[in-house]
Amino acid sequence: MQTTFSRAIVSFLAALFVGSLHAQSLKRVEQADFGKTQDGSEVKLITLRNSKGMTAQIISYGAIIKELRAPDRNGNFTNILLTTDTLQKFQRFGGPAAIIGRVANRIAGAQFELDGTTYKLAANSGKNTIHGGRKGFAQMVWTVQDVPEKGGESSVKLVYLSKDGEEGFPGNLKTSIIYTLTDKDELQLAYEAETDKPTIVNLTNHAYWNLAGGGSCLDNVLWIPSESYTPADADLIPTGEIASLRGTPMDFNQPTRIGERFKQLNPKVNGYDHNYILGGEKTMKMAARLTEPKSGRIMEVRTTQPAVQLYTANHLGNTAVCLETQHYPDSIHHKNFPSIVVRPGKPYHEITLFTFLAK
């Protein structure tokens, strides 16, 4: 006769076996329809899965990460990105977790000079340009391309051709982003771009992270291993100076609660919107570690990019944290900043890796 304990063990093993069969029956990569844009373009929804239960959903509109479900310390999965549920809402309110380009962040005066030619851009942030212009890559429909499956990885490639003169930028720029979800609970973003004329490129993903799945981000603990930043004026245009973080409210060299020094910041900003320098070497390096104490979720960010922009969703009541790996804002106007010029035959290539833990 089975004891209560032995019956419980048998039930547990049976549930585990059924769960394993269910996990094996799910495809690592699936594609579905996600509606049509106002001009009739079809938008696709791609679901990436790993063997541990994590999922990432990508839509071809804006190459947006629509959802990323990660476990807490108890194994409970929750979406940890600010998102919405329909294509119409993404089009109406903009795309959180979209690919931003051609040039992320700001360009002073909505113009730049390259090889003796001045290019005028849309002034969509006061007198300046932000995030690629009026539409930018975040509001374009990308083409979905399959990526051959590798052991322990689920990937999708999205491609967009930005034509010469789009948003005022020169050159036909073919851009691709490969999203890869691994069995190590990593989400990798691999960016590539090539042009037929000299142009400028600075790509990032504008993900709004909330590791608790809701509420404020102010109790999150943040570590950014950076010694310096680029001070900016009232319009958040860099002055060109490289300044030390030591002794400032922006210093996160020691893990610090995000909301701890809010009162020391400029009240007009209502939070963080600062560019942290990581180093110019083209190697993978730690950019940040974000910890949500209640759930135990931890997100580590590594990148080949030279900087990370910390933004605390100031216009949304500090409900999320953006850690946008990128080149410095307004780099084209500062010779002492790493160059964002891309030329024919010399493709742009950057990688950012998000690793998710729970303790």
Side-chain angles (χ1 to χ4, degrees):
M1 181 180 294
Q2 286 186 317
T3 65
T4 301
F5 176 75
S6 64
R7 285 196 298 270
I9 291 294
V10 170
S11 297
F12 171 77
L13 292 174
L16 190 63
F17 176 70
V18 171
S20 176
L21 286 178
H22 177 65
Q24 292 176 31
S25 69
L26 294 174
K27 293 182 179 180
R28 296 290 296 248
V29 182
E30 283 190 298
Q31 187 174 146
D33 294 332
F34 194 66
K36 293 183 179 181
T37 62
Q38 294 171 348
D39 66 3
S41 299
E42 292 186 350
V43 174
K44 299 298 182 181
L45 169 69
I46 304 95
T47 301
L48 308 179
R49 298 184 178 91
N50 73 4
S51 64
K52 297 181 179 179
M54 276 192 69
T55 59
Q57 290 189 330
I58 316 296
I59 61 172
S60 56
Y61 178 78
I64 290 169
I65 311 173
K66 177 182 177 292
E67 180 179 290
L68 192 142
R69 300 183 68 83
D72 65 9
R73 64 165 62 93
N74 298 314
N76 299 313
F77 285 83
T78 300
N79 173 45
I80 57 173
L81 283 169
L82 263 61
T83 189
T84 188
D85 56 353
T86 68
L87 176 59
Q88 288 69 31
K89 289 179 182 178
F90 277 115
Q91 290 185 275
R92 191 180 311 133
F93 301 119
I99 297 299
I100 307 298
R102 290 187 189 190
V103 177
N105 222 305
R106 293 162 176 83
I107 298 176
Q111 65 178 28
F112 67 96
E113 183 178 317
L114 181 59
D115 296 343
T117 300
T118 298
Y119 297 93
K120 295 187 179 298
L121 312 173
N124 62 327
S125 177
K127 61 184 179 181
N128 308 308
T129 300
I130 189 170
H131 293 339
R134 290 192 176 92
K135 292 185 70 175
F137 290 5
Q139 297 181 58
M140 300 301 181
V141 177
W142 295 54
T143 300
V144 180
Q145 295 182 359
D146 293 332
V147 177
E149 287 190 24
K150 299 179 182 178
E153 293 184 354
S154 307
S155 299
V156 66
K157 181 177 183 179
L158 296 100
V159 178
Y160 177 68
L161 175 62
S162 175
K163 294 183 179 180
D164 185 20
E166 183 177 286
E167 294 283 4
F169 293 98
N172 293 297
L173 186 77
K174 183 180 180 181
T175 303
S176 68
I177 172 73
I178 299 177
Y179 289 106
T180 300
L181 182 65
T182 77
D183 283 345
K184 296 180 181 179
D185 287 351
E186 300 165 331
L187 182 67
Q188 178 180 281
L189 282 61
Y191 305 88
E192 291 188 356
E194 54 185 8
T195 182
D196 59 0
K197 290 170 62 175
T199 190
I200 57 176
V201 180
N202 183 18
L203 302 175
T204 193
N205 183 287
H206 207 318
Y208 286 72
W209 300 101
N210 186 311
L211 299 187
S216 171
C217 73
L218 299 187
D219 286 331
N220 285 202
V221 176
L222 179 63
W223 172 59
I224 300 178
S226 172
E227 299 290 337
S228 54
Y229 75 113
T230 52
D233 64 18
D235 293 324
L236 298 179
I237 299 295
T239 63
E241 179 188 5
I242 304 296
S244 172
L245 287 163
R246 295 296 183 184
T248 73
M250 291 82 72
D251 187 357
F252 284 93
N253 267 285
Q254 296 296 322
T256 304
R257 178 179 168 273
I258 289 176
E260 184 171 317
R261 296 172 298 202
F262 255 40
K263 292 182 180 180
Q264 301 176 42
L265 297 169
N266 183 345
K268 181 181 177 181
V269 176
N270 194 35
Y272 290 97
D273 198 352
H274 298 82
N275 175 60
Y276 289 73
I277 295 173
L278 302 174
E281 60 278 1
K282 197 83 168 181
T283 57
M284 288 293 283
K285 49 192 168 289
M286 183 69 79
R289 180 186 294 122
L290 184 67
T291 302
E292 204 288 301
K294 292 182 179 179
S295 68
R297 290 190 183 92
I298 300 169
M299 182 178 74
E300 295 181 344
V301 187
R302 295 174 175 82
T303 189
T304 58
Q305 300 257 37
V308 60
Q309 184 87 7
L310 167 64
Y311 178 59
T312 48
N314 304 331
H315 68 300
L316 296 173
N318 311 123
T319 53
V321 182
C322 298
L323 292 164
E324 305 161 63
T325 58
Q326 57 187 265
H327 276 61
Y328 306 177
D330 198 33
S331 288
I332 190 61
H333 289 130
H334 301 281
K335 293 182 179 180
N336 59 322
F337 289 4
S339 175
I340 60 170
V341 175
V342 176
R343 299 184 181 277
K346 296 183 178 179
Y348 169 101
H349 180 73
E350 300 287 357
I351 294 175
T352 295
L353 184 68
F354 297 94
T355 302
F356 301 92
L357 309 166
K359 295 182 179 179

